[in-house]
Amino acid sequence: GGVGVSEDFGVTWRDTSEGLPGKPVTSVIPDPRSPKEARVLYASCFEGGVYKSTDGGKTWVKKSQGLGGEEGNLRTCRLILHQDGTLFVLVTAPTMDDHTEGTADAGLYRSRDGGERWECITASRPLHWPKDFDVDPRDSKVIYLGAGDWPGFEEGGLYKTSDGSETWKRIARE
């Protein structure tokens, strides 16, 4: 795993992974509000957490405080930066083959301070197997979250919050 940069439309690539954990990188998100000469980038690394670069991806620093709860689950799979500056990252559960009880602190996490601190925003609706999410581009309080079923729990479907995570409603089952 790592991050590469091409400046010739993919003909050649340069490794820019200094500081990353060598895990699969699942998202790389630029902050368009940052200056071009010091572009801020965020990367989610599966089983590694979230990392931030303030130099256009030359070096990376881990920014995972609060992710994964007490169990330290850093299975981050998708990262979104909303236009209002809020970061969201999905932390998924271990595979069903792991026979792990509980949710392993899986869920959707939010940071409002550039990744310095993360909070789980699905605590009011814990899910064993969150799969994907999206955020309304006009309002970061409107979030859609898809989840799969977990053995013994019929919680799969599409969920929505319109109040930033205080309440979640399942709006579709199949």
Side-chain angles (χ1 to χ4, degrees):
V3 175
V5 173
S6 175
E7 296 174 355
D8 56 10
F9 301 100
V11 175
T12 60
W13 290 87
R14 171 173 48 86
D15 183 14
T16 61
S17 302
E18 183 181 328
L20 292 175
K23 305 279 186 183
V25 175
T26 56
S27 298
V28 176
I29 307 296
D31 185 344
R33 300 167 303 158
S34 60
K36 186 176 181 181
E37 63 279 358
R39 182 71 70 209
V40 172
L41 302 169
Y42 297 94
S44 58
C45 299
F46 191 76
E47 294 187 341
V50 174
Y51 289 76
K52 182 177 183 177
S53 172
T54 57
D55 58 10
K58 294 180 185 113
T59 59
W60 298 87
V61 176
K62 190 171 187 174
K63 297 293 182 180
S64 298
Q65 182 180 340
L67 278 182
E70 293 179 16
E71 297 185 40
N73 178 0
L74 296 179
R75 293 175 182 91
T76 57
C77 19
R78 180 153 187 227
L79 184 65
I80 290 178
L81 175 63
H82 193 270
Q83 68 180 0
D84 69 6
T86 306
L87 281 164
F88 296 90
V89 69
L90 183 70
V91 175
T92 191
T95 64
M96 289 183 226
D97 295 338
D98 291 341
H99 304 291
T100 303
E101 296 296 322
T103 60
D105 294 310
L108 187 58
Y109 288 75
R110 171 177 59 208
S111 175
R112 293 180 172 155
D113 59 5
E116 294 301 320
R117 290 179 311 278
W118 294 89
E119 62 177 323
C120 181
I121 63 170
T122 50
S124 65
R125 182 57 179 115
L127 298 166
H128 288 80
W129 200 251
K131 303 295 276 179
D132 202 0
F133 75 100
D134 207 356
V135 181
D136 186 314
R138 298 171 307 256
D139 185 353
S140 65
K141 291 182 179 180
V142 179
I143 306 164
Y144 297 88
L145 175 65
D149 282 329
W150 190 269
F153 298 88
E154 290 189 16
E155 59 192 22
L158 180 63
Y159 294 83
K160 178 183 179 181
T161 182
S162 297
D163 57 16
S165 76
E166 292 298 317
T167 58
W168 290 89
K169 179 180 180 184
R170 183 163 46 187
I171 59 173
R173 173 74 176 113
E174 293 184 27

